[in-house]
Amino acid sequence: MAFRTMEWIEAGHCLRLLDQRFLPGTVQYLDLTTPEAVAGAIRDMTVRGAPAIGVAAGFGMAQAALLAEAAGPPLIPALEAADRVLRASRPTAVNLFWALDRMAALWRAGAGGARLLEEAQVMESEDIAVNEAIAAHALSILPQEVTFFHHCNTGALATVGVGTALGIIRRAHDSGRKVFAYLDETRPRLQGAKLSSFELMEYGVPHAIVVDGASAHIMRRHKVDMAVVGCDRVAANGDTANKIGTYNLALAAQDNGVPFYVACPTSTIDLSTASGDGIEIEERDAEEVLRIGDAVIAPDGAPAFNPAFDVTPNRLIAGLITEFGILRPPFDVNIRALFAERGLRKGR
Ligand code: MRU
């Protein structure tokens, strides 16, 4: 792979992030040395995608501890401040809180910088393995020739591994299957057109970018075998928050008999949120809607509304593809059974 989403640089306790705001035109990296800077990079979407946000926050907490140790005691107020600023960076992706809770369990028990750094690196390796396991489970249900529909970016840029939904598409291609993918452009920030296409070009996976409104038509007139998306938070009943437009895609899939799957690391499942109604939906700046890049596309002073995520009701989902296998409905029962069987933590 010619790019790396994030990398820990030992010297200077630095988290190096690929700045996704400038892709695909410019591949440039940002070196961040404080948890405040990491929180800022999550907020402004230098780094984005639920799993990548979680791991970046983990490194931010390691930085906080290493910096506080260098400055001298007390450690805890600095760690509390870092935890607060990172928690406030984006509200919807539960991986952020999952990672911060995991780090907090350690620092509240007295762990220092070296131990927190080790934990962030464990989360990084786990994410790589989880991505591969999700892809392997998906491959078990894929035909030899398969056309996907995909939304947003869920690949290497959104994780530290091969990706979740886009990882499935990539690994299906690597497996020798004849693969084609329709990529929703994903307004307003165009993660599909800018990032997912960037990745699939890199891997040589045949695909076409389509406008977000085209999915129902394409499913009606062209062969589509499966819609597969990622997730930012899955409630205990399987309702799934993901990038705005995912719900529309799921409705289009249902009306056209196309199975709709969610690639879902268990770190994205939040058992403490009973249903999708309880998931906070981030609202971002209206400017994202009113512009495409530097070009203003609306009349001067025009109002806009910019919810960044939506919730797909569980009834529209054929399966949650986790690292432990594919969960089928009823999701409330099967998610709880999986968590009990694997002894998993319960989310926020
Ligand atoms: O706003 P973003 O770009 O962070 O939104 C990303 C998504 O919605 C992804 O589908 C989700 O985080 C899963 S990434 C494996």
Side-chain angles (χ1 to χ4, degrees):
M1 190 189 310
F3 61 87
R4 194 159 165 184
T5 306
M6 74 182 75
E7 187 179 2
W8 179 257
I9 311 286
E10 205 56 57
H13 309 319
C14 166
L15 180 62
R16 178 165 293 166
L17 293 178
L18 172 56
D19 194 335
Q20 300 190 29
R21 296 169 303 169
F22 302 115
L23 291 174
T26 307
V27 177
Q28 80 186 29
Y29 291 85
L30 267 187
D31 285 355
L32 307 175
T33 53
T34 66
E36 291 76 17
V38 173
I42 294 172
R43 196 175 315 112
D44 71 16
M45 296 177 66
T46 297
V47 61
R48 29 72 46 208
I53 290 172
V55 177
F59 280 116
M61 287 309 299
Q63 278 177 335
L66 293 165
L67 286 171
E69 279 167 3
L75 225 64
I76 295 296
L79 288 165
E80 283 174 342
D83 179 80
R84 238 186 342 265
V85 77
L86 285 161
R87 262 174 217 276
S89 56
R90 287 190 83 185
T92 303
V94 83
N95 304 60
L96 174 69
F97 308 99
W98 172 88
L100 289 171
D101 287 349
R102 186 164 159 174
M103 299 304 267
L106 292 174
W107 59 261
R108 289 200 189 283
R115 177 67 190 91
L116 292 188
L117 177 58
E118 182 187 297
E119 192 67 9
Q121 284 165 334
V122 168
M123 289 198 283
E124 198 179 15
S125 336
E126 281 176 5
D127 191 51
I128 293 168
V130 162
N131 287 184
E132 294 296 348
I134 286 173
H137 289 300
L139 289 192
S140 72
I141 59 163
L142 293 183
Q144 266 315 109
E145 265 192 54
V146 54
T147 300
F148 295 98
F149 221 107
H150 178 267
H151 194 70
C152 196
N153 172 265
T154 62
L157 292 166
T159 64
V160 290
V162 75
T164 62
L166 207 69
I168 292 171
I169 294 171
R170 179 175 168 191
R171 287 294 182 242
H173 171 77
D174 295 344
S175 74
R177 286 172 173 77
K178 188 164 180 233
V179 168
F180 188 84
Y182 290 103
L183 305 180
D184 268 343
E185 61 175 351
T186 318
R187 274 281 286 152
R189 293 187 66 106
L190 299 168
Q191 289 95 328
K194 291 183 169 181
L195 306 180
S196 293
S197 181
F198 173 75
E199 288 198 36
L200 294 192
M201 297 286 284
E202 177 90 16
Y203 318 139
V205 181
H207 66 280
I209 300 165
V210 299
V211 297
D212 295 334
S215 53
H217 163 77
I218 291 170
M219 288 178 189
R220 176 70 59 188
R221 292 284 185 95
H222 301 265
K223 177 177 118 52
V224 177
D225 300 296
M226 170 192 272
V228 64
V229 300
C231 48
D232 283 80
R233 189 184 303 219
V234 176
N237 70 348
D239 290 351
T240 293
N242 191 50
K243 180 52 54 193
I244 193 76
T246 302
Y247 182 18
N248 300 49
L249 183 65
L251 288 167
Q254 189 197 43
D255 199 48
N256 289 288
V258 173
F260 182 89
Y261 283 90
V262 176
C264 173
T266 53
S267 56
T268 315
I269 299 175
D270 178 9
L271 282 194
S272 64
T273 299
S275 79
D277 293 340
I279 299 177
E280 184 182 345
I281 300 296
E282 178 182 15
E283 287 175 17
R284 295 186 65 87
D285 196 333
E287 282 297 302
E288 290 183 349
V289 175
L290 298 170
R291 289 172 184 271
I292 296 184
D294 289 335
V296 177
I297 56 161
D300 218 17
F305 176 47
N306 186 18
F309 297 95
D310 59 24
V311 175
T312 300
N314 58 13
R315 65 188 161 78
L316 299 177
I317 299 170
L320 299 172
I321 309 173
T322 78
E323 67 271 31
F324 299 113
I326 304 179
L327 294 181
R328 302 284 180 181
F331 293 118
D332 52 351
V333 174
N334 292 335
I335 288 174
R336 275 187 194 280
L338 176 70
F339 271 60
E341 186 189 317
R342 300 280 173 175
L344 299 173
R345 288 166 64 256
K346 293 194 169 41
R348 287 186 97 165

